[in-house]
Amino acid sequence: MLLTTEGLGKSFGGVEALRDVSIEVRRGRVTALIGPNGSGKSTLINVISGIYPPDRGRVVFEGRDITGMPPHAVAELGIVRTFQVPRVFRGMSVIENMLVAAKGEGLEGVLSPFLRRGAVAQHERRCLRRAREILEFLEIDHMRNEYAGSLSGGQQKLLALARALMAEPRMLLLDEPVAGVAPALARKIFEKILELRSRLGFLIVEHNMDVLLDFADHVYVLHRGEIVAEGTPEEVLSSRQVLEVYFGE
């Protein structure tokens, strides 16, 4: 098991945002999280990524209890997230955005200024090569010198995914990766996610049901802070309870 949450609870000013939430995320499987607005999806993502400490319960990643760890420590372990609104550096080029996200591992122990200069240059070449490979994989390498602020919303979503991959994740938390994206590009983004799932775990918050039906392996449904259903997309979307709480039927 890549990640589990065990009985997570979180309240804000007396409002219970999460109540006994337990989920599993496996490598090799696209796990989706759906629910109406205010159901607790963002709170759960924020607890997992370390932005909020839970009031109750645990978060376990690769067998290690990471409950309450700060966001930078969670990210260093390999849990990387994106946001519903892409957080790109609009005044920087696409390739510069990529390099900002690169890890600086292997440089801390280089003490000599001369050795360090060579190590930094080698690290920069390696990062540039990796950035180009990721951009080519996502089919946006031709935009590498464009300002991020000039990209369309869908292209910025791709750049956000590319930056997340640049951080060498073991698991990705994607918050509405295709919200507001044209259908063809939305499917392309999920096709790329499927190509990555054999080596990464995915927990994805998404409202696009057409995409979920075709690409998610397992779906959890949150309502008023509780998991009210789980299963394959077909099982979840045919559930009368889900139709009532999620679609208002």
Side-chain angles (χ1 to χ4, degrees), residues 1-3 24-31 61-62 169-171 196-202 217:
M1 193 63 60
L2 187 62
L3 178 134
E24 298 179 346
V25 178
R26 301 173 184 268
R27 185 181 287 106
R29 188 168 81 173
V30 174
T31 302
F61 180 62
E62 295 187 320
R170 301 176 70 80
M171 175 178 165
L196 294 165
R197 71 176 173 178
S198 63
R199 54 190 177 90
L200 294 176
F202 286 92
D217 298 300

mmCIF file of all heavy atoms in Angstrom, residues 1-3 24-31 61-62 169-171 196-202 217:
data_model
loop_
_atom_site.group_PDB
_atom_site.id
_atom_site.type_symbol
_atom_site.label_atom_id
_atom_site.label_comp_id
_atom_site.label_asym_id
_atom_site.label_seq_id
_atom_site.Cartn_x
_atom_site.Cartn_y
_atom_site.Cartn_z
ATOM 1 N N MET A 1 0.832 -1.192 0.000
ATOM 2 C CA MET A 1 0.000 0.000 0.000
ATOM 3 C C MET A 1 0.878 1.256 0.000
ATOM 4 O O MET A 1 1.801 1.362 0.791
ATOM 5 C CB MET A 1 -0.900 0.005 1.236
ATOM 6 C CG MET A 1 -2.006 1.024 1.167
ATOM 7 S SD MET A 1 -3.126 0.687 -0.195
ATOM 8 C CE MET A 1 -3.694 -0.954 0.255
ATOM 9 N N LEU A 2 0.555 2.200 -0.873
ATOM 10 C CA LEU A 2 1.368 3.412 -0.955
ATOM 11 C C LEU A 2 0.985 4.393 0.143
ATOM 12 O O LEU A 2 1.837 4.868 0.909
ATOM 13 C CB LEU A 2 1.201 4.055 -2.335
ATOM 14 C CG LEU A 2 2.118 5.232 -2.641
ATOM 15 C CD1 LEU A 2 3.580 4.810 -2.612
ATOM 16 C CD2 LEU A 2 1.760 5.832 -4.004
ATOM 17 N N LEU A 3 -0.303 4.709 0.244
ATOM 18 C CA LEU A 3 -0.754 5.657 1.250
ATOM 19 C C LEU A 3 -2.095 5.213 1.819
ATOM 20 O O LEU A 3 -2.958 4.713 1.086
ATOM 21 C CB LEU A 3 -0.890 7.069 0.661
ATOM 22 C CG LEU A 3 -1.407 8.141 1.639
ATOM 23 C CD1 LEU A 3 -0.569 9.405 1.549
ATOM 24 C CD2 LEU A 3 -2.880 8.475 1.385
ATOM 25 N N GLU A 24 -7.463 4.391 0.784
ATOM 26 C CA GLU A 24 -6.220 3.745 0.377
ATOM 27 C C GLU A 24 -5.851 4.212 -1.021
ATOM 28 O O GLU A 24 -6.717 4.332 -1.885
ATOM 29 C CB GLU A 24 -6.363 2.221 0.370
ATOM 30 C CG GLU A 24 -6.677 1.604 1.720
ATOM 31 C CD GLU A 24 -6.841 0.091 1.638
ATOM 32 O OE1 GLU A 24 -6.977 -0.426 0.493
ATOM 33 O OE2 GLU A 24 -6.858 -0.564 2.685
ATOM 34 N N VAL A 25 -4.569 4.455 -1.215
ATOM 35 C CA VAL A 25 -4.048 4.802 -2.541
ATOM 36 C C VAL A 25 -2.951 3.798 -2.872
ATOM 37 O O VAL A 25 -1.997 3.637 -2.094
ATOM 38 C CB VAL A 25 -3.485 6.234 -2.588
ATOM 39 C CG1 VAL A 25 -2.912 6.547 -3.970
ATOM 40 C CG2 VAL A 25 -4.571 7.250 -2.225
ATOM 41 N N ARG A 26 -3.096 3.137 -3.992
ATOM 42 C CA ARG A 26 -2.127 2.130 -4.419
ATOM 43 C C ARG A 26 -1.342 2.607 -5.628
ATOM 44 O O ARG A 26 -1.894 3.294 -6.493
ATOM 45 C CB ARG A 26 -2.842 0.818 -4.784
ATOM 46 C CG ARG A 26 -3.655 0.203 -3.669
ATOM 47 C CD ARG A 26 -4.452 -0.991 -4.170
ATOM 48 N NE ARG A 26 -5.315 -1.536 -3.139
ATOM 49 C CZ ARG A 26 -4.951 -2.519 -2.313
ATOM 50 N NH1 ARG A 26 -3.746 -3.060 -2.444
ATOM 51 N NH2 ARG A 26 -5.785 -2.961 -1.389
ATOM 52 N N ARG A 27 -0.101 2.220 -5.683
ATOM 53 C CA ARG A 27 0.681 2.455 -6.894
ATOM 54 C C ARG A 27 0.107 1.599 -8.015
ATOM 55 O O ARG A 27 -0.303 0.463 -7.796
ATOM 56 C CB ARG A 27 2.148 2.111 -6.662
ATOM 57 C CG ARG A 27 3.067 2.443 -7.830
ATOM 58 C CD ARG A 27 4.498 2.052 -7.518
ATOM 59 N NE ARG A 27 5.115 2.955 -6.546
ATOM 60 C CZ ARG A 27 5.352 2.659 -5.274
ATOM 61 N NH1 ARG A 27 5.007 1.461 -4.803
ATOM 62 N NH2 ARG A 27 5.913 3.524 -4.465
ATOM 63 N N GLY A 28 0.063 2.144 -9.217
ATOM 64 C CA GLY A 28 -0.478 1.401 -10.338
ATOM 65 C C GLY A 28 -1.975 1.542 -10.491
ATOM 66 O O GLY A 28 -2.577 0.862 -11.317
ATOM 67 N N ARG A 29 -2.582 2.432 -9.694
ATOM 68 C CA ARG A 29 -4.022 2.625 -9.750
ATOM 69 C C ARG A 29 -4.330 4.113 -9.642
ATOM 70 O O ARG A 29 -3.744 4.818 -8.831
ATOM 71 C CB ARG A 29 -4.701 1.863 -8.604
ATOM 72 C CG ARG A 29 -6.215 1.834 -8.675
ATOM 73 C CD ARG A 29 -6.799 0.825 -7.688
ATOM 74 N NE ARG A 29 -6.878 1.348 -6.338
ATOM 75 C CZ ARG A 29 -7.478 0.712 -5.335
ATOM 76 N NH1 ARG A 29 -8.019 -0.488 -5.531
ATOM 77 N NH2 ARG A 29 -7.516 1.234 -4.125
ATOM 78 N N VAL A 30 -5.245 4.589 -10.485
ATOM 79 C CA VAL A 30 -5.689 5.983 -10.408
ATOM 80 C C VAL A 30 -6.885 6.030 -9.462
ATOM 81 O O VAL A 30 -7.948 5.481 -9.759
ATOM 82 C CB VAL A 30 -6.075 6.525 -11.798
ATOM 83 C CG1 VAL A 30 -6.674 7.929 -11.674
ATOM 84 C CG2 VAL A 30 -4.860 6.561 -12.717
ATOM 85 N N THR A 31 -6.687 6.650 -8.315
ATOM 86 C CA THR A 31 -7.737 6.785 -7.312
ATOM 87 C C THR A 31 -8.319 8.185 -7.397
ATOM 88 O O THR A 31 -7.588 9.178 -7.380
ATOM 89 C CB THR A 31 -7.175 6.536 -5.904
ATOM 90 O OG1 THR A 31 -6.587 5.233 -5.856
ATOM 91 C CG2 THR A 31 -8.264 6.635 -4.848
ATOM 92 N N PHE A 61 2.322 6.820 4.898
ATOM 93 C CA PHE A 61 2.871 6.799 3.543
ATOM 94 C C PHE A 61 4.025 5.803 3.480
ATOM 95 O O PHE A 61 4.998 5.932 4.210
ATOM 96 C CB PHE A 61 3.359 8.189 3.141
ATOM 97 C CG PHE A 61 3.939 8.271 1.760
ATOM 98 C CD1 PHE A 61 3.162 7.996 0.638
ATOM 99 C CD2 PHE A 61 5.267 8.632 1.570
ATOM 100 C CE1 PHE A 61 3.699 8.078 -0.637
ATOM 101 C CE2 PHE A 61 5.806 8.714 0.298
ATOM 102 C CZ PHE A 61 5.016 8.433 -0.812
ATOM 103 N N GLU A 62 3.874 4.792 2.644
ATOM 104 C CA GLU A 62 4.884 3.736 2.503
ATOM 105 C C GLU A 62 5.281 3.159 3.856
ATOM 106 O O GLU A 62 6.454 2.930 4.134
ATOM 107 C CB GLU A 62 6.102 4.259 1.736
ATOM 108 C CG GLU A 62 5.782 4.632 0.290
ATOM 109 C CD GLU A 62 7.016 4.982 -0.525
ATOM 110 O OE1 GLU A 62 7.920 5.651 0.021
ATOM 111 O OE2 GLU A 62 7.073 4.580 -1.704
ATOM 112 N N PRO A 169 8.258 12.862 -7.885
ATOM 113 C CA PRO A 169 7.312 12.367 -6.876
ATOM 114 C C PRO A 169 7.228 10.847 -6.843
ATOM 115 O O PRO A 169 7.572 10.163 -7.802
ATOM 116 C CB PRO A 169 5.982 12.958 -7.344
ATOM 117 C CG PRO A 169 6.120 12.988 -8.840
ATOM 118 C CD PRO A 169 7.560 13.366 -9.083
ATOM 119 N N ARG A 170 6.741 10.355 -5.715
ATOM 120 C CA ARG A 170 6.354 8.948 -5.596
ATOM 121 C C ARG A 170 4.834 8.837 -5.621
ATOM 122 O O ARG A 170 4.282 7.786 -5.893
ATOM 123 C CB ARG A 170 6.930 8.355 -4.309
ATOM 124 C CG ARG A 170 8.451 8.451 -4.241
ATOM 125 C CD ARG A 170 8.989 7.954 -2.921
ATOM 126 N NE ARG A 170 8.844 6.523 -2.779
ATOM 127 C CZ ARG A 170 9.651 5.626 -3.324
ATOM 128 N NH1 ARG A 170 10.681 6.011 -4.061
ATOM 129 N NH2 ARG A 170 9.457 4.332 -3.137
ATOM 130 N N MET A 171 4.180 9.967 -5.313
ATOM 131 C CA MET A 171 2.729 10.029 -5.353
ATOM 132 C C MET A 171 2.316 11.441 -5.716
ATOM 133 O O MET A 171 2.929 12.418 -5.264
ATOM 134 C CB MET A 171 2.132 9.638 -3.997
ATOM 135 C CG MET A 171 0.629 9.791 -3.931
ATOM 136 S SD MET A 171 -0.030 9.276 -2.329
ATOM 137 C CE MET A 171 -1.665 9.987 -2.425
ATOM 138 N N LEU A 196 1.804 6.981 -16.578
ATOM 139 C CA LEU A 196 2.673 7.137 -15.412
ATOM 140 C C LEU A 196 2.275 6.256 -14.234
ATOM 141 O O LEU A 196 3.044 6.097 -13.286
ATOM 142 C CB LEU A 196 2.650 8.599 -14.946
ATOM 143 C CG LEU A 196 3.240 9.639 -15.891
ATOM 144 C CD1 LEU A 196 2.801 11.036 -15.463
ATOM 145 C CD2 LEU A 196 4.758 9.537 -15.923
ATOM 146 N N ARG A 197 1.072 5.668 -14.260
ATOM 147 C CA ARG A 197 0.547 5.052 -13.050
ATOM 148 C C ARG A 197 1.281 3.791 -12.631
ATOM 149 O O ARG A 197 1.165 3.378 -11.472
ATOM 150 C CB ARG A 197 -0.947 4.761 -13.213
ATOM 151 C CG ARG A 197 -1.271 3.653 -14.168
ATOM 152 C CD ARG A 197 -2.762 3.368 -14.197
ATOM 153 N NE ARG A 197 -3.084 2.408 -15.245
ATOM 154 C CZ ARG A 197 -4.293 1.952 -15.473
ATOM 155 N NH1 ARG A 197 -5.303 2.372 -14.733
ATOM 156 N NH2 ARG A 197 -4.508 1.087 -16.433
ATOM 157 N N SER A 198 2.035 3.150 -13.516
ATOM 158 C CA SER A 198 2.740 1.935 -13.122
ATOM 159 C C SER A 198 3.839 2.233 -12.108
ATOM 160 O O SER A 198 4.244 1.343 -11.356
ATOM 161 C CB SER A 198 3.345 1.242 -14.348
ATOM 162 O OG SER A 198 4.316 2.061 -14.962
ATOM 163 N N ARG A 199 4.313 3.470 -12.052
ATOM 164 C CA ARG A 199 5.396 3.803 -11.116
ATOM 165 C C ARG A 199 5.020 4.880 -10.103
ATOM 166 O O ARG A 199 5.840 5.214 -9.240
ATOM 167 C CB ARG A 199 6.649 4.231 -11.866
ATOM 168 C CG ARG A 199 6.467 5.355 -12.866
ATOM 169 C CD ARG A 199 7.708 5.528 -13.720
ATOM 170 N NE ARG A 199 7.582 6.534 -14.740
ATOM 171 C CZ ARG A 199 7.888 7.803 -14.586
ATOM 172 N NH1 ARG A 199 8.357 8.224 -13.418
ATOM 173 N NH2 ARG A 199 7.765 8.667 -15.571
ATOM 174 N N LEU A 200 3.815 5.427 -10.209
ATOM 175 C CA LEU A 200 3.378 6.464 -9.280
ATOM 176 C C LEU A 200 2.002 6.119 -8.722
ATOM 177 O O LEU A 200 1.241 5.373 -9.319
ATOM 178 C CB LEU A 200 3.275 7.826 -9.984
ATOM 179 C CG LEU A 200 4.550 8.477 -10.490
ATOM 180 C CD1 LEU A 200 4.207 9.758 -11.238
ATOM 181 C CD2 LEU A 200 5.502 8.773 -9.345
ATOM 182 N N GLY A 201 1.701 6.690 -7.567
ATOM 183 C CA GLY A 201 0.342 6.644 -7.055
ATOM 184 C C GLY A 201 -0.351 7.957 -7.356
ATOM 185 O O GLY A 201 0.281 9.016 -7.352
ATOM 186 N N PHE A 202 -1.652 7.909 -7.626
ATOM 187 C CA PHE A 202 -2.416 9.118 -7.932
ATOM 188 C C PHE A 202 -3.648 9.187 -7.047
ATOM 189 O O PHE A 202 -4.403 8.215 -6.948
ATOM 190 C CB PHE A 202 -2.877 9.116 -9.391
ATOM 191 C CG PHE A 202 -1.780 9.403 -10.393
ATOM 192 C CD1 PHE A 202 -1.064 8.363 -10.958
ATOM 193 C CD2 PHE A 202 -1.480 10.704 -10.753
ATOM 194 C CE1 PHE A 202 -0.062 8.617 -11.875
ATOM 195 C CE2 PHE A 202 -0.481 10.962 -11.672
ATOM 196 C CZ PHE A 202 0.228 9.926 -12.239
ATOM 197 N N ASP A 217 -9.541 4.124 -11.720
ATOM 198 C CA ASP A 217 -9.661 2.720 -11.335
ATOM 199 C C ASP A 217 -10.559 2.554 -10.108
ATOM 200 O O ASP A 217 -11.305 1.575 -10.006
ATOM 201 C CB ASP A 217 -8.278 2.141 -11.027
ATOM 202 C CG ASP A 217 -7.357 2.177 -12.230
ATOM 203 O OD1 ASP A 217 -7.704 1.564 -13.255
ATOM 204 O OD2 ASP A 217 -6.302 2.827 -12.148
#
